[in-house]
Amino acid sequence: MSEAGKSLLVTRPFPGGQKTVAGLMALGHRPMAVPLFSKRILPLDMPSPFQITATIFTSANSVRALSRDDIEIGHQLLPCFTVGDTTAQAATHAGFTNLLSAKGDVKELIALIEKMELTGNYFYPCAIDRKPDLEDHFRDTGVNIQPNPAYEMIPIKDLPPPVVTQLKQGEIDGVLIYSARAATQFANLCAKHNIEIGDLPFYCLSPSIWATLEAEGAKNGFVAKAPNENTLFELLD
């Protein structure tokens, strides 16, 4: 790495992307925020805490999508399952106190729910576009997970012209990718401008993200050893 650090594209949506940019700048890098999606909050009717056994959050976005006025003390006291530490922090900030957190992976979240053996209705605010792993796994069991779409991630239509120019001129040292959907979106936008991604370094939060990029023609990928940003940043050294 040069003294000026790496020139990096941060594709994480706001507000998380702003935190990522600040963290990279503190490490001496030159990050550029290029959020591939914007968030739109959807109308959502919160169930009564007396009608549910627990709440499930699979992203910090799902926590932030809830209206603070609709969250009752009863919701905050019920068991709250989260996919990882970042989501758990967001849930804590929203007042949820009975947290049960996995380590950043949906499979581990499923195992945690199974371990607790809490049957009944689970409140699951989520993105409208998502993999149905949770509800499919627990279908026809005593764990009734009903997805409640709380927000939608809307893809941007194009990359900013200065970013296109830098990509074509080989001036980008790496791209940080945070989801498989973002990987597909970035590859599609590059193809729109005939940008070759084969030799572009990608820093991925999980193996599934890198597998998506490989399928799109990427050849230079680095995968975090755990699905959190601290281990992702370690790849940049």
Side-chain angles (χ1 to χ4, degrees):
M1 183 176 69
S2 67
E3 291 183 2
K6 292 185 187 321
S7 177
L8 301 166
L9 297 186
V10 177
T11 64
R12 186 182 181 188
F14 291 162
Q18 293 164 307
K19 180 181 177 182
T20 299
V21 166
L24 290 170
M25 290 180 66
L27 294 173
H29 296 294
R30 293 171 286 124
M32 290 173 286
V34 188
L36 297 177
F37 300 89
S38 62
K39 183 170 67 175
R40 182 171 73 91
I41 304 299
L42 303 175
L44 174 68
D45 292 328
M46 288 276 288
S48 164
F50 299 104
Q51 298 175 323
I52 60 176
T53 298
T55 298
I56 299 174
F57 292 120
T58 54
S59 74
N61 279 328
S62 60
V63 182
R64 301 187 187 107
L66 301 183
S67 169
R68 292 297 182 90
D69 294 336
D70 292 335
I71 301 175
E72 302 177 21
I73 293 177
H75 293 118
Q76 295 168 330
L77 294 177
L78 287 172
C80 178
F81 293 88
T82 64
V83 72
D85 292 343
T86 299
T87 306
Q89 290 172 5
T92 298
H93 188 67
F96 290 87
T97 57
N98 190 4
L99 295 177
L100 300 158
S101 183
K103 299 186 183 300
D105 182 270
V106 172
K107 291 182 180 179
E108 292 185 358
L109 178 59
I110 288 172
L112 180 60
I113 294 171
E114 289 178 330
K115 179 181 178 181
M116 298 308 297
E117 298 183 338
L118 297 174
T119 58
N121 297 321
Y122 282 62
F123 175 48
Y124 175 33
C126 55
I128 195 169
D129 295 307
R130 73 192 183 286
K131 292 182 179 179
D133 297 341
L134 278 175
E135 55 265 42
D136 283 355
H137 181 86
F138 288 104
R139 198 177 307 279
D140 299 324
T141 71
V143 176
N144 180 28
I145 297 178
Q146 181 62 47
N148 300 98
Y151 67 99
E152 178 182 14
M153 300 304 291
I154 302 172
I156 62 173
K157 295 182 179 180
D158 206 348
L159 295 169
V163 172
V164 171
T165 298
Q166 288 182 284
L167 285 167
K168 286 188 172 183
Q169 294 178 352
E171 296 175 355
I172 301 300
D173 298 317
V175 184
L176 279 65
I177 303 286
Y178 287 77
S179 71
R181 189 182 177 205
T184 299
Q185 170 72 351
F186 185 80
N188 288 341
L189 292 177
C190 284
K192 180 178 180 179
H193 293 280
N194 296 313
I195 297 171
E196 175 59 52
I197 67 170
D199 295 326
L200 188 62
F202 288 97
Y203 297 91
C204 307
L205 201 62
S206 72
S208 63
I209 296 171
W210 173 236
T212 301
L213 287 165
E214 276 193 301
E216 297 286 352
K219 300 176 183 178
N220 190 8
F222 306 87
V223 179
K225 62 183 179 182
N228 62 69
E229 199 160 66
N230 288 336
T231 58
L232 187 65
F233 283 3
E234 290 175 2
L235 298 173
L236 300 170
D237 293 337

